Amino acid sequence: MGSLGAIVRHPDEVYPLLKLKMAARHAEKQIPAEPHWAFCYTMLLKVSRSFALVIQQLDPQLRNAVCIFYLVLRALDTVEDDTSIATDVKEPILIAFHRHIYDRDWHFSCGTKEYKVLMDQFHHVSTAFLELEKNYQAAIENITKEMGAGMAKFICNEVETVDDYDEYCHYVAGLVGLGLSKLFHASGKEDLAPDHLSNSMGLFLQKTNIIRDYLEDINEIPKSRMFWPRQIWSKYVNKLEDLKYEENSVKAVQCLNDMVTNALLHAEDCLKYMSALRDMSIFRFCAIPQIMAIGTLALCYNNIEVFRGVVKMRRGLTAKVIDRTKTMADVYGAFFDFSCMLKSKVDKNDPNATKTLSRLEAIQKTCRESGLLSKRKPYILRNESTNSSTMVLILVIILSIIFAYLSAKRQDN
């Protein structure tokens, strides 16, 4: 549920953690009986537990379409990510992937762990896809075709310029944003969002992941995956892998801050996209990952640990985001809080400090001008180190109840 130390330091996260735990169990119980749908929803829980929880809020038809859309693109991404596949084998698979989803017999063994299972038993995904309404199938096919072609384009081409970076992120994530907007529109619940806003929703998430996953990608075997654009990293080091070496720590952090500043460009578009959503379940489905992204950027900024290990939001804060994100006021509040957190970490001597502060102030201005900041609860307690004794007492009582419940359950078994 989260480390005891984190719970003691942040007792306000205990209740959201318990709710998240219960939601996870509920999601497991909601898995359909049909073998192909059971496989899809079980696989969704394995490849992205948080996504699987958020998707449960959508109505059944739209939920099924989004589930299959996600798994199809995960499978496509698995082919792209597997550096052991020869280029002459990988390229035609990526280009033809939109046709494979219509073939109940097609599968291709690649990837590792749960992704290998997804690829080996892809016929379940195809079977479920063929049961979707035609308008959903068309939207998924079109986005898969564009994404596969874009991925194939970048197999042999490194990300050189910032424009290349934006184009690559468009193919692997911006198109996801466009596809989801089409699915929402096909459901009759939302107007079709402008393409540039849908694209920014995807780019904001993808750039956050690329920043956070630097070390995992650079250490990939048998071949590194390099997504940071040369136009940015070459200002600081001679080779991208040099950023992970301790002697380059100062330059590495400066490069990291440059990357975060680039990602912040998309935040205002994301706020505009989310403010236009009408359906509550679709709104929460879109808003929670975006808040996680701005929170992750705030943690990564000026943080050398990005080059040493894994940097991510603690589970309790994630649970709080999932629990509290219900209105646009909550979104503005989260973006404002996390941008304040990031702003407090900006070193005036950083080469990009002026640009970073300008982008953060633009985000904060948008949040203030919404007029909704006074209507939300803060995601970050200003004095987290001085938790009240009352909260600690409540924590002890809750943990005692949980322990007693688990002990009783164990005895019954």
Side-chain angles (χ1 to χ4, degrees), residues 264 267-268 271 335 339 359-367:
L264 291 172
E268 290 173 87
L271 290 170
F335 270 66
S339 62
R359 288 182 185 167
L360 290 170
E361 285 159 8
I363 295 168
Q364 292 175 340
K365 183 172 182 284
T366 299
C367 295

Side-chain angles (χ1 to χ4, degrees), residues 325-342:
T325 304
K326 295 181 174 66
T327 68
M328 199 59 208
D330 299 321
V331 174
Y332 284 126
F335 270 66
F336 187 84
D337 283 351
F338 284 121
S339 62
C340 286
M341 176 181 166
L342 202 160

Side-chain angles (χ1 to χ4, degrees), residues 21 23 60 71 116 161 165 170 211 236 273 359 372:
K21 190 74 172 175
L71 290 178
K116 187 177 187 307
T161 66
Y165 183 45
H170 165 73
I211 291 165
Y236 306 96
Y273 179 100
R359 288 182 185 167
L372 297 173

Side-chain angles (χ1 to χ4, degrees), residues 145-362:
K145 181 179 180 179
E146 286 189 64
M147 186 178 290
M151 287 176 169
K153 178 180 177 179
F154 277 92
I155 288 177
C156 298
N157 299 332
E158 288 192 12
V159 180
E160 296 285 342
T161 66
V162 171
D163 285 343
D164 290 342
Y165 183 45
D166 286 340
E167 184 181 11
Y168 173 75
C169 289
H170 165 73
Y171 284 130
V172 301
L175 286 172
V176 179
L178 269 70
L180 286 171
S181 292
K182 289 177 180 179
L183 293 179
F184 300 154
H185 181 61
S187 74
K189 296 179 180 296
E190 299 289 351
D191 294 329
L192 186 60
D195 284 357
H196 74 281
L197 297 183
S198 300
N199 189 58
S200 282
M201 289 285 283
L203 263 63
F204 193 56
L205 298 181
Q206 183 65 18
K207 289 185 176 183
T208 299
N209 290 340
I210 285 173
I211 291 165
R212 182 198 62 198
D213 295 341
Y214 165 84
L215 193 63
E216 178 186 336
D217 288 337
I218 209 71
N219 288 337
E220 179 72 17
I221 296 172
K223 182 183 177 184
S224 295
R225 292 180 295 181
M226 295 186 283
F227 304 117
W228 291 31
R230 182 186 296 272
Q231 186 178 342
I232 290 180
W233 61 256
S234 63
K235 292 185 284 185
Y236 306 96
V237 287
N238 294 323
K239 293 186 292 185
L240 182 56
E241 57 264 35
D242 290 345
L243 293 171
K244 69 180 180 178
Y245 300 125
E246 195 166 343
E247 61 267 26
N248 297 321
S249 293
V250 173
K251 291 294 185 182
V253 168
Q254 290 175 348
C255 183
L256 168 65
N257 294 346
D258 203 341
M259 290 288 291
V260 171
T261 301
N262 172 274
L264 291 172
L265 268 173
H266 307 288
E268 290 173 87
D269 275 354
C270 293
L271 290 170
K272 191 170 183 180
Y273 179 100
M274 290 182 283
S275 68
L277 295 172
R278 300 191 303 257
D279 183 85
M280 174 60 69
S281 63
I282 291 175
F283 168 76
R284 278 175 50 78
F285 172 80
C286 293
I288 289 169
Q290 298 296 331
I291 293 174
M292 297 288 290
I294 188 79
T296 300
L297 289 177
L299 289 174
C300 288
Y301 185 85
N302 217 36
N303 188 350
I304 192 62
E305 288 305 311
V306 170
F307 305 99
R308 306 286 181 264
V310 179
V311 175
K312 62 181 180 179
M313 288 173 59
R314 64 182 180 273
R315 191 163 175 75
L317 185 53
T318 299
K320 191 194 288 188
V321 168
I322 293 173
D323 183 49
R324 286 190 179 176
T325 304
K326 295 181 174 66
T327 68
M328 199 59 208
D330 299 321
V331 174
Y332 284 126
F335 270 66
F336 187 84
D337 283 351
F338 284 121
S339 62
C340 286
M341 176 181 166
L342 202 160
K343 191 174 181 180
S344 71
K345 298 168 70 176
V346 176
D347 182 346
K348 294 294 196 299
N349 295 317
D350 185 272
N352 292 284
T354 301
K355 191 189 297 184
T356 307
L357 290 170
S358 174
R359 288 182 185 167
L360 290 170
E361 285 159 8

